Amino acid sequence: MSDLSGNALLKVLETILQELNVGILLVDRDRKVLRWNQFMAVHSGRPEAEVKGKDLFDAFPELPQAWLDKKLRSVHILKNPAFTSWQQRPYLFRFRHNRPLTSDMDHMRQDCTFIPIKDDNDEVEYVCIVVNDVTENCIFQGQLQQALKQVQAMSVTDALTGLYNRRHLETVLGQEFKRARRHKRPLSVLLFDIDFFKKVNDTYGHRAGDTVLQSVARLCQEMLREHDVCARYGGEEFCLVLPDTDLEGACVVAERLRKSVKQERIEVDGNEISVTITIGVCDYDDTMPHHEAMLDSADEALYEGKEQGRDRVIS
Ligand SMILES: Nc1nc2c(ncn2[C@@H]2O[C@H](COP(=O)(O)OP(=O)(O)OP(=O)(O)O)[C@@H](O)[C@H]2O)c(=O)[nH]1
């Protein structure tokens, strides 16, 4: 096998330069374009002959001139390669990408490398700009972020009612409990349960029971202030965390909620269903060791409400 050199080597390199699926252009100190490979020609719609010898900024006035000029100058001065990622600057050259169906992205996303090419005196004579099409990565990353967002939302949401789930409620209550203790702020918890809910299921069916749960959740949500948090705590049990609310205020909210649920007529398959709820209310006091103590206390009040005949608020 013979060594490659001279014209044979040049021919190989020229073929590689042209056929590589990345953009390659070479500019001199005055930003004059000396080489422009096929990738650049195809994606810009401008053949090398049309661009060669021109000032890069005259040929492409839409380029970010101030930024690119600074970048090129720094490569000349520092004599080191530089790199830009699409995450900092989505693209250098405004090229269309060829994945129109998979994304609403407007232009090809590009990672660019600026390679200094030095002369015999170790001065940078040319800069080779390598343009990598990373649109695919960018689309995948967008899809991944979207999926992650959905998973995160699902992990804190109850599927039936759209309220937060118990796990998230406990997280929020834990944080609010610490805040109440640190800043000596009031904090209340409402725990409520639909009365005789088993009878609703038994009489109208499980699907009707689900609709009742959704209606109660909606009523509960409509009542909330911005920082209140409502969650489905268990089957037909719900919990509300009311930051900056004392026991008296919490009982007012509870009574309003009790009345609004009682007045609601829930239509399912031609049937009109009405339910009542029993609510246990408790507020923070600084003898409580942790947030679970608030839930225990609200649960005790709820149990007492059930014992006393249901459809009531007990604190
Ligand atoms: N439709 C429906 N029913 C549920 C769901 N989760 C729990 N339940 C039902 O809720 C009912 C709860 O019944 P119980 O714990 O006996 O309480 P209750 O009938 O509400 O009686 P009290 O709470 O004592 O007033 C059971 O029949 C459960 O099957 C759900 O997601 N959908």
Side-chain angles (χ1 to χ4, degrees), residues 152-294:
Q152 274 164 348
M154 277 162 65
S155 75
V156 297
T157 308
D158 169 57
L160 179 70
T161 60
L163 296 180
Y164 286 120
N165 60 20
R166 179 174 181 160
R167 185 174 29 171
H168 185 66
L169 184 279
E170 296 238 14
T171 307
V172 170
L173 181 58
Q175 290 162 351
E176 291 299 336
F177 185 87
K178 283 185 195 149
R179 204 172 73 90
R181 180 148 62 193
R182 197 177 320 124
H183 302 294
K184 305 204 181 320
R185 301 294 306 162
L187 170 67
S188 295
V189 166
L190 270 61
L191 199 62
F192 72 91
D193 181 286
I194 303 175
D195 298 326
F196 301 119
F197 189 61
K198 186 172 179 315
K199 222 165 111 190
V200 174
N201 276 333
D202 293 348
T203 311
Y204 302 102
H206 207 266
R207 211 177 56 78
D210 284 355
T211 307
V212 171
L213 290 170
Q214 287 166 331
S215 298
V216 170
R218 181 181 44 77
L219 289 173
C220 196
Q221 236 164 355
E222 283 169 4
M223 203 147 287
L224 296 187
R225 289 182 310 187
E226 193 189 345
H227 296 292
D228 297 343
V229 173
C230 180
R232 185 170 176 208
Y233 196 66
E236 24 53 286
E237 220 177 348
F238 296 80
C239 185
L240 266 99
V241 174
L242 310 180
D244 288 319
T245 309
D246 60 14
L247 189 63
E248 198 185 335
C251 286
V252 171
V253 174
E255 191 54 34
R256 207 184 304 142
L257 179 63
R258 186 191 68 78
K259 283 187 182 142
S260 114
V261 171
K262 191 174 180 155
Q263 281 162 10
E264 185 77 359
R265 299 288 170 265
I266 303 156
E267 285 238 356
V268 191
D269 299 333
N271 294 306
E272 234 184 32
I273 306 174
S274 60
V275 289
T276 59
I277 56 174
T278 301
I279 310 178
V281 186
C282 99
D283 69 335
Y284 166 79
D285 84 65
D286 55 16
T287 63
M288 289 172 165
H290 39 63
H291 73 271
E292 285 97 340
M294 290 194 79

